[in-house]
Amino acid sequence: MEHGNRIATKDDSDYLCPNLTDNWQLDDRIDSVGQVILQAKAGNRRYQFEAIEGYALKHFTGQYTARQILNRCRSRSGTFIPSDFIVRLLQKLNDLEILPATAAEELENPTPDSPPPKTSNFIELKSTVEWIPHPGGYWILRNSEDITCLQIDSFDKEVISQLGQQPLTAVVNKYDISLDDVQYLMQMLAKAGMLEGIKAPKPPNKFNLQKLLYCKIPVLNPDAWLTQHIDKLRWIWTEQFGFALCVFITTSVSLWLAFPSEILASSKQVWATGGNAAILTLALLTVLVVSLHELGHAFTLKHYGGVVPEIGLLFMCLIPGCYTNTTDQYALVRRKQRILVVAAGLLVQVTIWATAVWMWVLSTSNPWLHNASFLLMTASLLTVALNLNPMNRFDGYYLLVALTGINNLRERSFQFYTELLQRQESLEDSANKWMLAAYAPFSIVYTALIFSYLMSLVGNWVWQHLPTTLDFTKLTLPHF
């Protein structure tokens, strides 16, 4: 039901600054000479920093990237702050032996997650990487080997296009930029696995509490099978079939609304007589609906030329589901195509429901088929209702992202309010601010309602199973 990974952009593909709060505390009261003090929690080590450096150090909590901190400093300061400000601050912390050991080692011994060494001479893109122009005025850099995408502006495209053509120092001189800016681009490309000899790093496979709430388990790579069969199904994405499907769904809705009392009676009859068999049948039909739902995503992306590297199991709060990796949809420059990739699963579910309505109406003489078609209607409606919810990372959320064009909508919405409460200038486009302002409050209200509902269910169960009366006269207090 959940699918894809979020697209990497220039704002969130940066070096994650280390957490200093475990061993250091900042006295950010600016003294008479305009400096702040960084004090060790153990021992007497104290260092002075400029006021703007102190403001940056407040964000060294292990949660912000260098680019995010730089943007915050620029928003707060009324003076120009160079692009290598955070890089130089990190080096200063390293020279003073303030950085944690792991962060200092990473600066001195870069990994695929950190910039290539400054002594690098020639670095080039993989042959599997392609440039895709976007109508929005930027470029999409697509790596078909690791199925990753980057959103690149025209200037950075020019710089990156020089890779493999001349040394980094020559690129710096040609475009009048700092070497640190070039190193930042190299880091971004390395994270996406777009440079020769570098594989896109996988997230660490370590157990944590979050995995109990949200866990994905890849099962298979369906791309070769999808490629083998896609040509047999291309008629599905024609305008003629789309029109016929709309007519079919509309007539099915009209038919369903014409039999409200019969549907209610059928519901009572199924659950009154079916028992555990009805529950098991509903569960199996739900698995069928969800499986076809995921194939809808996969085949639609394959139809538009994308790659589907995996389909797997998804567990949210220990509730099983499925997901399809549709990251490659971000390489589709037409928004209509991206919307159809996301909406395909829901269209499959609605089509199954519409088919089940006709089966239910036409099978009154066959009790087994009549009950089974009702359960198929129920399974389809339940999964549609769950998937349409835009407050969780299901199809409704990704459909909203595709419709608005705001990638990473949830994170950016909460970041919007964080900046608002801290009285910092938002760097978001004014056209996106109304959506960002609306999403976070609705998400909080929805989460609160769901939590309250679950707590009420638990409370009612406890109340029903507690003894109706307690004889307090038989209770005795211990004697001391």
Side-chain angles (χ1 to χ4, degrees):
M1 296 177 186
E2 191 268 351
H3 57 92
N5 299 314
R6 66 181 199 165
I7 189 171
T9 64
K10 194 170 182 177
D11 288 330
D12 62 13
S13 298
D14 207 348
Y15 177 82
L16 188 65
C17 290
N19 181 11
L20 301 182
T21 59
D22 291 337
N23 301 312
W24 298 86
Q25 58 188 7
L26 187 70
D27 183 356
D28 56 1
R29 292 172 296 177
I30 301 175
D31 62 18
S32 58
V33 294
Q35 293 187 321
V36 297
I37 302 296
L38 187 65
Q39 170 77 48
K41 290 185 177 180
N44 298 318
R45 295 175 63 191
R46 302 171 77 249
Y47 298 99
Q48 286 185 325
F49 290 86
E50 299 296 329
I52 191 61
E53 291 178 326
Y55 179 74
L57 291 175
K58 288 176 62 176
H59 297 87
F60 276 59
T61 60
Q63 299 175 328
Y64 298 97
T65 65
R67 183 55 60 99
Q68 289 171 330
I69 298 176
L70 176 64
N71 288 337
R72 287 169 179 260
C73 291
R74 284 174 169 173
S75 298
R76 180 181 179 88
S77 176
T79 59
F80 172 74
I81 297 179
S83 59
D84 62 348
F85 171 71
I86 301 298
V87 175
R88 289 190 286 106
L89 179 58
L90 283 165
Q91 190 60 53
K92 182 177 180 179
L93 295 173
N94 187 41
D95 294 340
L96 294 173
E97 298 183 352
I98 293 175
L99 286 182
T102 54
E105 290 172 3
E106 186 175 339
L107 281 178
E108 297 174 359
N109 303 295
T111 65
D113 286 331
S114 56
K118 293 186 178 183
T119 56
S120 297
N121 190 25
F122 286 100
I123 301 175
E124 57 184 349
L125 298 176
K126 292 178 179 177
S127 58
T128 55
V129 171
E130 60 178 319
W131 290 100
I132 303 173
H134 195 280
Y138 55 86
W139 294 80
I140 295 173
L141 192 57
R142 176 178 180 263
N143 174 13
S144 59
E145 179 179 293
D146 296 296
I147 318 300
T148 55
C149 295
L150 291 175
Q151 185 174 303
I152 305 293
D153 60 34
S154 297
F155 179 78
D156 285 344
K157 177 186 182 296
E158 264 194 73
V159 176
I160 294 172
S161 297
Q162 298 300 313
L163 299 179
Q165 307 297 322
Q166 49 187 313
L168 294 185
T169 52
V171 175
V172 168
N173 294 331
K174 180 176 180 179
Y175 292 97
D176 193 25
I177 57 178
S178 71
L179 186 58
D180 290 315
D181 283 338
V182 178
Q183 295 288 344
Y184 169 75
L185 287 176
M186 298 305 101
Q187 174 192 348
M188 187 169 61
L189 295 170
K191 276 190 173 184
M194 295 190 176
L195 298 177
E196 283 290 356
I198 296 180
K199 194 79 173 171
K202 295 183 179 180
N205 189 22
K206 294 181 180 180
F207 176 80
N208 54 55
L209 183 60
Q210 186 178 2
K211 286 195 173 183
L212 292 177
L213 303 177
Y214 182 87
C215 177
K216 293 198 296 186
I217 303 175
V219 175
L220 55 88
N221 183 336
D223 197 68
W225 181 80
L226 294 171
T227 302
Q228 181 182 355
H229 295 282
I230 185 61
D231 288 337
K232 306 171 187 175
L233 301 173
R234 292 199 187 275
W235 54 270
I236 291 177
W237 293 275
T238 61
E239 293 184 359
Q240 294 85 348
F241 179 79
F243 177 77
L245 183 61
C246 288
V247 172
F248 176 64
I249 292 174
T250 302
T251 55
S252 300
V253 171
S254 301
L255 187 66
W256 185 65
L257 294 175
F259 296 96
S261 58
E262 289 83 353
I263 291 174
L264 181 61
S266 186
S267 174
K268 293 180 179 178
Q269 190 270 334
V270 166
W271 298 117
T273 61
N276 293 333
I279 296 175
L280 178 60
T281 303
L282 179 64
L284 293 175
L285 290 173
T286 300
V287 171
L288 174 64
V289 171
V290 170
S291 299
L292 294 174
H293 164 103
E294 297 304 327
L295 287 178
H297 291 306
F299 272 116
T300 303
L301 180 56
K302 177 55 63 177
H303 170 70
Y304 291 122
V307 176
V308 184
E310 67 183 31
I311 289 179
L313 298 176
L314 167 71
F315 294 88
M316 292 189 68
C317 300
L318 301 181
I319 300 174
C322 294
Y323 76 94
T324 301
N325 185 337
T326 59
T327 303
D328 210 27
Q329 67 168 294
Y330 292 110
L332 302 176
V333 297
R334 297 180 60 187
R335 183 177 294 185
K336 175 184 176 182
Q337 294 177 349
R338 297 197 301 275
I339 292 173
L340 284 176
V341 170
V342 177
L346 289 167
L347 285 174
V348 168
Q349 289 172 288
V350 173
T351 303
I352 293 173
W353 170 83
T355 304
V357 169
W358 285 96
M359 290 172 56
W360 177 78
V361 170
L362 300 175
S363 63
T364 52
S365 60
N366 186 330
W368 179 88
L369 183 58
H370 194 64
N371 291 343
S373 57
F374 174 82
L375 291 173
L376 183 58
M377 277 197 301
T378 303
S380 302
L381 281 179
L382 287 176
T383 52
V384 166
L386 177 63
N387 268 305
L388 271 179
N389 168 32
M391 297 299 122
N392 283 330
R393 291 183 179 276
F394 294 142
D395 288 346
Y397 170 81
Y398 289 103
L399 188 59
L400 185 61
V401 168
L403 288 169
T404 59
I406 306 176
N407 295 318
N408 309 327
L409 172 62
R410 183 179 181 86
E411 292 84 353
R412 289 166 65 178
S413 178
F414 281 95
Q415 180 62 32
F416 174 81
Y417 276 98
T418 299
E419 293 171 348
L420 183 66
L421 293 174
Q422 295 178 352
R423 297 183 179 180
Q424 296 176 352
E425 181 183 357
S426 175
L427 301 179
E428 296 286 352
D429 294 337
S430 56
N432 294 337
K433 287 183 178 179
W434 69 271
M435 176 58 70
L436 297 174
Y439 184 84
F442 277 110
S443 179
I444 293 172
V445 170
Y446 169 79
T447 302
L449 290 175
I450 291 297
F451 181 77
S452 301
Y453 176 69
L454 293 176
M455 291 300 295
S456 68
L457 290 179
V458 173
N460 289 336
W461 184 89
V462 172
W463 180 259
Q464 292 174 3
H465 289 79
L466 280 176
T468 54
T469 57
L470 291 175
D471 189 355
F472 290 99
T473 59
K474 296 181 180 181
L475 296 177
T476 59
L477 296 176
H479 298 282
F480 297 97

